[in-house]
Amino acid sequence: MGLTADDVARLGALARIQLSEQECAELAPELDVILESVRRVSEVAGPDVPTATHAIPVDNVFRDDVVTPGLTQAQALAGAPDSEDGRFRVPQILGES
């Protein structure tokens, strides 16, 4: 039993997605293919088949955090166009005083 345009319209309404009649008619066969694919996978995926989100194992690719020395105040301000009292000096904005 395939999805009908009315089924798609109902799903769209539940998801609060506004769909035209044409969109419902076009989406019905596409969603039907997706549901059939899920059904076929469900038939072979029994309780002995572990759930997988990827076809191959994925490892964390982040490097370890290593503390390194940062810039000194003088080094940080060295490239600034202007500084005052050890801070970056920027033009006044929004009429602040």
Side-chain angles (χ1 to χ4, degrees):
M1 177 176 122
L3 283 176
T4 66
D6 290 337
D7 294 331
V8 175
R10 173 77 174 130
L11 289 171
L14 290 172
R16 295 188 174 143
I17 299 172
Q18 202 169 32
L19 298 170
S20 68
E21 287 183 23
Q22 181 182 350
E23 289 171 321
C24 291
E26 291 172 3
L27 286 172
E30 293 177 23
L31 290 172
D32 201 36
V33 169
I34 294 169
L35 290 174
E36 177 60 22
S37 298
V38 170
R39 186 191 62 76
R40 290 179 60 202
V41 169
S42 297
E43 287 176 356
V44 295
D48 57 330
V49 178
T51 303
T53 56
H54 298 283
I56 58 174
V58 177
D59 293 324
N60 187 348
V61 294
F62 295 115
R63 63 172 169 73
D64 291 335
D65 287 334
V66 178
V67 177
T68 58
L71 297 175
T72 64
Q73 183 181 32
Q75 290 170 323
L77 293 172
D82 196 10
S83 64
E84 181 179 297
D85 298 326
R87 296 176 292 200
F88 294 102
R89 180 173 166 79
V90 295
Q92 179 179 338
I93 60 170
L94 303 176
E96 296 174 351
S97 54

